[in-house]
């Protein structure tokens, strides 16, 4: 079968032919309908060899939707042809956090060498993929796989980040979304669906700000050196109750800290390598700073329920599997508006 692989440190991803996978005991084989292209792949592919936590070559794709093609021995409860989304942050399934469905915070994944598909295990950017356990699959029913696939990360990750700050997102509150790409443009929609907060979006091009406005941002501000002052002006000099940084680069985390309100939340989601110093006097009193990771299985089910209710619409551009390297190139160059999705069997 064809697969999109990151094969050598510093090289661009390549489309290669690999053996067709077969499901072992307890595993599920999916025929992949759609696989999302995420900016974090580009970050990972820029890391030096000693920072890459998995062996190469690696089949990419940590956002996947497919149909059940075959069940390994002992798997019940799924039928061939079922349309399912893959919950990506695989854990041990046994520790106390996994028991709560928070496999993204599994206590033993590292020790046991359990890695997410596309970020260690073979991912969704192939004609077929192996899913280690049926508990990682959430049926999507009649949802469009192409529109739904990115909800497994670009939906789930912002949902998890927003949900923990919901007590602060009361009517009259302000939320700032920095970076309105794959995750950010979904975050704006989730904020509008889940809260009555005012949403201020920041990004670096007018095209991206247009998308931010189209998906529900009340204000859209060009992310430059004047952005923090503009946000302060828009919030009457008080700053935002919740700041979600989907870039996480040094300049954006600085902006995030500069626009936080007293007792606000700053949440750094993007893996752009930025760090925000926390200590008395560095930020407004009571500001919390956190860097969450992905989301829980239950939260994925909640995001898919929002999709069923029509509350979230991922803006996608589609590519064949042979065009996957081009999709990564366009994403790297900031040319993708919304999310790029690969159709491995399309
Ligand atoms: Zn991702
Ligand atoms: Zn666990």
């Amino acid at each position: 079968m064809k697969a999109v692989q990151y094969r050598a440190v510093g090289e661009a991803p390549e489309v290669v032919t690999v053996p067709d996978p077969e499901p072992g005991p307890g595993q599920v084989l999916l025929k992949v309908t759609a696989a999302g292209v995420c900016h974090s792949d580009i970050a990972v592919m820029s890391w030096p060899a000693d920072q890459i936590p998995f062996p190469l070559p690696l089949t990419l794709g940590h956002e996947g939707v497919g149909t059940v093609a075959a069940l390994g021995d002992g798997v019940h409860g799924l039928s061939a042809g079922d349309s399912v989304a893959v919950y990506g942050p695989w854990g041990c399934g046994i520790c106390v956090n996994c028991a709560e469905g928070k496999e993204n915070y599994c206590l033993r994944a590292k020790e046991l060498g359990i890695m997410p598909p596309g970020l260690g295990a073979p991912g969704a950017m192939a004609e077929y993929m192996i899913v280690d356990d049926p508990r990682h699959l959430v049926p999507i029913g009649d949802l469009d796989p192409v529109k739904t696939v990115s909800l497994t990360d670009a939906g789930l990750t912002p949902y998890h980040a927003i949900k923990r700050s919901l007590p602060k997102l009361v009517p009259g509150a302000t939320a700032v979304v920095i970076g309105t790409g794959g995750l950010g443009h979904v975050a704006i929609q989730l904020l509008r669906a889940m809260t009555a907060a005012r949403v201020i979006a920041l990004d670096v091009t007018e095209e991206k700000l247009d998308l931010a406005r189209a998906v529900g941002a009340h204000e859209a501000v060009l992310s430059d050196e004047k952005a923090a002052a503009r946000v302060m002006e828009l919030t009457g000099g008080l700053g935002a109750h919740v700041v979600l940084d989907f870039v996480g680069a040094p300049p954006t985390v600085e902006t995030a800290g500069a626009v936080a309100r007293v007792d606000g939340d700053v949440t750094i989601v993007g893996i752009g390598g930025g760090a925000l110093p926390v200590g008395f006097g560095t930020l407004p009193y009571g500001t919390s700073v956190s860097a969450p990771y992905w989301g829980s299985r239950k939260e994925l089910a909640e995001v898919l329920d929002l999709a069923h209710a029509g509350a979230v619409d991922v803006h996608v551009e589609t590519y064949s599997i042979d065009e996957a390297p081009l999709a990564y190139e366009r994403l790297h160059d900031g040319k993708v508006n919304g999310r790029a999705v690969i159709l491995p069997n399309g």
Side-chain angles (χ1 to χ4, degrees):
M1 67 167 185
K2 281 185 182 176
V4 182
Q5 291 195 329
Y6 179 45
R7 297 183 59 81
V9 175
E11 305 271 301
E14 251 182 276
V15 183
V16 295
T17 301
V18 298
D20 287 353
E22 285 189 27
Q27 295 180 324
V28 179
L29 179 72
L30 295 187
K31 184 175 184 182
V32 180
T33 324
V37 182
C38 183
H39 210 282
S40 61
D41 292 336
I42 289 172
V44 168
M45 288 189 280
S46 75
W47 292 345
D50 60 348
Q51 276 178 36
I52 298 179
F54 43 72
L56 299 180
L58 168 75
T59 297
L60 294 162
H62 56 269
E63 293 181 344
V65 162
T67 53
V68 174
L71 303 176
D73 283 347
V75 178
H76 304 283
L78 287 166
S79 307
D82 285 354
S83 188
V84 290
V86 179
Y87 172 74
W90 296 351
C92 73
I94 294 167
C95 74
V96 289
N97 286 357
C98 285
E100 283 191 276
K102 298 179 194 163
E103 300 208 23
N104 53 322
Y105 297 140
C106 176
L107 300 173
R108 298 196 64 203
K110 196 170 180 187
E111 166 201 346
L112 297 172
I114 300 169
M115 292 184 280
L119 293 166
M125 234 170 263
E127 290 172 72
Y128 290 88
M129 76 178 287
I130 295 286
V131 174
D132 271 356
D133 191 292
R135 76 173 188 279
H136 300 315
L137 298 172
V138 183
I140 64 166
D142 59 2
L143 288 175
D144 174 4
V146 177
K147 289 272 192 183
T148 303
V149 65
S150 293
L151 295 178
T152 59
D153 173 20
L156 176 57
T157 302
Y159 184 84
H160 177 61
I162 292 165
K163 204 173 169 189
R164 53 199 299 289
S165 288
L166 277 182
K168 291 184 178 171
L169 292 168
V170 295
T174 299
V176 167
V177 172
I178 301 177
T180 63
L183 276 71
H185 92 288
V186 180
I188 293 165
Q189 299 176 57
L190 294 171
L191 284 163
R192 294 302 309 275
M194 296 161 71
T195 79
R198 184 164 67 134
V199 179
I200 303 176
L202 270 63
D203 210 317
V204 292
T205 68
E206 278 303 333
E207 193 190 6
K208 293 198 169 163
L209 295 182
D210 283 345
L211 176 62
R213 287 186 199 98
V215 297
H218 298 93
E219 307 279 353
V221 173
L222 213 52
S223 187
D224 56 18
E225 66 285 351
K226 286 179 282 186
R230 182 79 187 115
V231 172
M232 294 308 283
E233 199 179 297
L234 288 167
T235 54
L238 294 175
H241 299 70
V242 174
V243 184
L244 301 158
D245 182 357
F246 292 102
V247 181
T252 60
V253 297
E254 192 185 326
T255 300
V259 302
R261 184 187 175 106
V262 167
D263 207 23
D265 284 352
V266 175
T267 305
I268 300 167
V269 182
I271 60 171
L276 186 59
V278 178
F280 194 84
T282 61
L283 290 167
Y285 297 139
T287 304
S288 301
V289 179
S290 65
Y293 172 67
W294 224 327
S296 72
R297 285 168 54 204
K298 175 154 187 296
E299 287 168 339
L300 178 57
E302 291 168 9
V303 170
L304 294 174
D305 281 342
L306 276 172
H308 278 290
V312 43
D313 181 32
V314 182
H315 196 285
V316 296
E317 42 187 72
T318 57
Y319 297 82
S320 70
I321 192 163
D322 292 321
E323 293 167 330
L326 169 69
Y328 274 107
E329 221 178 283
R330 280 177 50 80
L331 183 63
H332 177 269
D333 294 342
K335 289 181 181 157
V336 173
N337 210 10
R339 199 63 152 176
V341 172
I342 310 296
L343 311 180
N345 288 286

